[in-house]
Amino acid sequence: MSLRYTFGGDEFIFVEISEAMSLQSFFTSMAITKRLQEEAVAGVIEICPANASYQIRFNPDVIHPDAMLAKLQQLEQELSSDNMVLETRLIEIPVLYNDPWTNETGAKFRERHQDPSSTDLEYAARINGYPSIDDFITAHSASPWFVSMVGFVAGLPFMFQMVEQAKQLQVPKYLRPRTDTPKLTLGHGGCFSCIYSVRGAGGYQMFGVTPAPIYDPEQTLPYLKEMMVFFRPGDVVKFKPINRQEYDIAMEQVAAGTFDLTVKNIVFNLHEFLANPHQYNQQLIGAQA
């Protein structure tokens, strides 16, 4: 893997790890940026890991650009198999798949869709070779997802499913973006899922909604007390399908300020995962093999 370094003006270095997303590329980004953060290098202002790249903002009056570049290259050289272990969080996110609100929104924008005669879920199931929506939902929720980056709008996580490349669920974005997407919609574009943290425009296919707020400047819920943006790069997400009754109960708890998420600390080992992804995932999420 050959990393490509590019200066952006006087204050930025952009590092491309690979042109295509992969767990190996993502872990390389996380390992280097984590080391850089731990070493607290003087002059480093911001560290922004992404899907298969990362970007550093630094103060050139504190650390010379050439010295900053040399430091990043040193971290790359020191990267070894021992770095492919990540201490992170496993988070269970409840999802009401095939909900009435995203279906209603999708119906308003069918002229912008590849298949105006079907819903987003029907289209996604068909082009991925699943005989029914339920089969597709099972494939979407059965394996965990990595949060590879957070952005676009405040708190929105981009998530990459932890399965072999041949099993990746892929759907194109809308032909033209919608001007509306319900808040907390579970979307999918390319090989990435996301959760729309706020209501607004969007082009990802819509699969359902979660009752769990993931961005709240008021920080009213227990899991948002530490930070108004919940997700972090490196989080592992397990989607839990729920029914309408469970969704309504969760929404009542959100309104009362008592809703909480199931979160536990885990250690993820990339090499053990790559040796047997299915078995590792089952162990990770506590399911039966």
Side-chain angles (χ1 to χ4, degrees), residues 33-261:
T33 55
K34 185 173 182 289
R35 278 285 305 278
L36 186 64
Q37 183 179 29
E38 289 172 348
E39 293 190 15
V41 176
V44 173
I45 299 172
E46 290 182 282
I47 304 171
C48 183
N51 296 326
S53 62
Y54 67 91
Q55 182 166 276
I56 305 300
R57 183 185 179 193
F58 61 96
N59 184 343
D61 293 329
V62 176
I63 181 170
H64 192 277
D66 290 340
M68 186 74 256
L69 174 60
K71 181 62 181 177
L72 298 180
Q73 292 173 328
Q74 173 195 337
L75 294 178
E76 176 191 353
Q77 293 300 316
E78 294 174 354
L79 189 65
S80 68
S81 59
D82 294 337
N83 297 105
M84 297 306 177
V85 175
L86 180 66
E87 295 182 5
T88 187
R89 305 182 297 177
L90 176 63
I91 303 163
E92 185 177 86
I93 297 292
V95 177
L96 176 61
Y97 286 91
N98 204 20
D99 68 285
W101 307 285
T102 58
N103 283 335
E104 180 182 4
T105 300
K108 296 177 181 178
F109 295 96
R110 293 331 280 172
E111 79 283 356
R112 306 182 184 212
H113 195 273
Q114 292 86 349
D115 184 358
S117 64
S118 68
T119 67
D120 290 8
L121 267 174
E122 289 170 341
Y123 172 70
R126 177 169 56 81
I127 67 171
N128 280 276
Y130 290 94
S132 70
I133 288 176
D134 288 342
D135 290 321
F136 180 81
I137 291 172
T138 296
H140 191 274
S141 60
S143 298
W145 299 71
F146 256 119
V147 176
S148 57
M149 60 182 290
V150 179
F152 179 67
V153 295
L156 183 150
F158 290 90
M159 295 170 284
F160 184 78
Q161 195 170 28
M162 295 160 54
V163 295
E164 302 93 322
Q165 187 173 3
K167 296 182 179 179
Q168 289 288 338
L169 301 174
Q170 298 196 45
V171 290
K173 296 187 289 185
Y174 274 45
L175 297 175
R176 289 185 294 132
R178 301 177 302 275
T179 57
D180 189 27
T181 306
K183 180 180 178 180
L184 298 177
T185 289
L186 178 63
H188 198 107
C191 63
F192 288 98
S193 270
C194 78
I195 298 174
Y196 286 81
S197 54
V198 296
R199 181 179 181 180
Y204 277 20
Q205 307 285 338
M206 299 178 291
F207 294 166
V209 292
T210 176
I214 58 173
Y215 166 70
D216 179 17
E218 302 299 323
Q219 297 178 262
T220 55
L221 294 172
Y223 61 91
L224 288 164
K225 294 296 184 184
E226 183 179 345
M227 182 178 284
M228 68 177 70
V229 171
F230 177 62
F231 284 112
R232 311 166 190 165
D235 282 340
V236 177
V237 175
K238 173 66 173 69
F239 294 120
K240 177 186 176 183
I242 59 174
N243 59 34
R244 178 60 187 271
Q245 181 181 11
E246 292 170 317
Y247 175 86
D248 290 341
I249 292 173
M251 290 300 293
E252 292 174 0
Q253 293 172 342
V254 169
T258 60
F259 180 81
D260 207 354
L261 288 172

